[in-house]
């Protein structure tokens, strides 16, 4: 997946886990306690905004960055309400891009 490629191409980052849905992402974050969570907005069973809300409630110091094909400006209100630190467009993410 794109997010894993971006992390792998960035020496300063270490991938400590990944999940295939919001519920699993929430559980993985609680178990692994990462510094940063990159969360796709659109996921099965529990979307990224709901999962981010859960993660921030249990891990307030963890930064959650939402990633979406939707333009970030269109998600700012929702993202702010869930405690996300940022919203990025998938188009802006490319492995090795500076």
């Amino acid at each position: 997946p794109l997010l894993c490629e971006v992390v792998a191409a960035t020496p300063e980052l270490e991938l400590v886990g990944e999940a295939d849905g919001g519920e699993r992402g929430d559980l993985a974050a609680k178990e692994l306690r990462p510094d940063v969570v990159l969360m796709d907005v659109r996921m099965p069973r529990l979307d990224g905004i709901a999962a981010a809300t859960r993660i921030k409630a249990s891990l307030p110091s963890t930064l959650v960055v939402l990633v979406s094909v939707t333009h970030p400006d269109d998600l700012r209100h929702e993202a702010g309400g869930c405690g996300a630190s940022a919203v990025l467009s998938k188009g802006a993410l490319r492995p090795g891009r500076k």
Side-chain angles (χ1 to χ4, degrees):
L2 175 62
L3 295 180
C4 294
E5 291 177 39
V6 170
V7 170
T10 308
E12 298 84 11
L13 299 177
E14 176 186 357
L15 180 66
V16 296
E18 63 181 295
D20 64 355
E23 290 176 357
R24 290 185 179 166
D26 175 41
L27 293 173
K30 288 174 182 170
E31 178 184 332
L32 299 168
R33 306 182 70 77
D35 295 325
V36 178
V37 171
L38 297 174
M39 178 79 64
D40 197 332
V41 171
R42 306 291 176 235
M43 292 188 295
R45 295 176 295 283
L46 183 71
D47 71 28
I49 291 172
T53 301
R54 290 182 182 186
I55 291 168
K56 290 300 290 184
S58 61
L59 300 168
S61 64
T62 296
L63 299 177
V64 177
V65 177
L66 296 174
V67 181
S68 179
V69 294
T70 304
H71 193 280
D73 289 341
D74 296 338
L75 294 171
R76 296 248 184 252
H77 179 71
E78 290 177 274
C82 74
S85 299
V87 181
L88 300 175
S89 168
K90 285 186 179 181
L93 298 176
R94 295 288 175 256
R97 185 176 178 165
K98 302 239 179 218

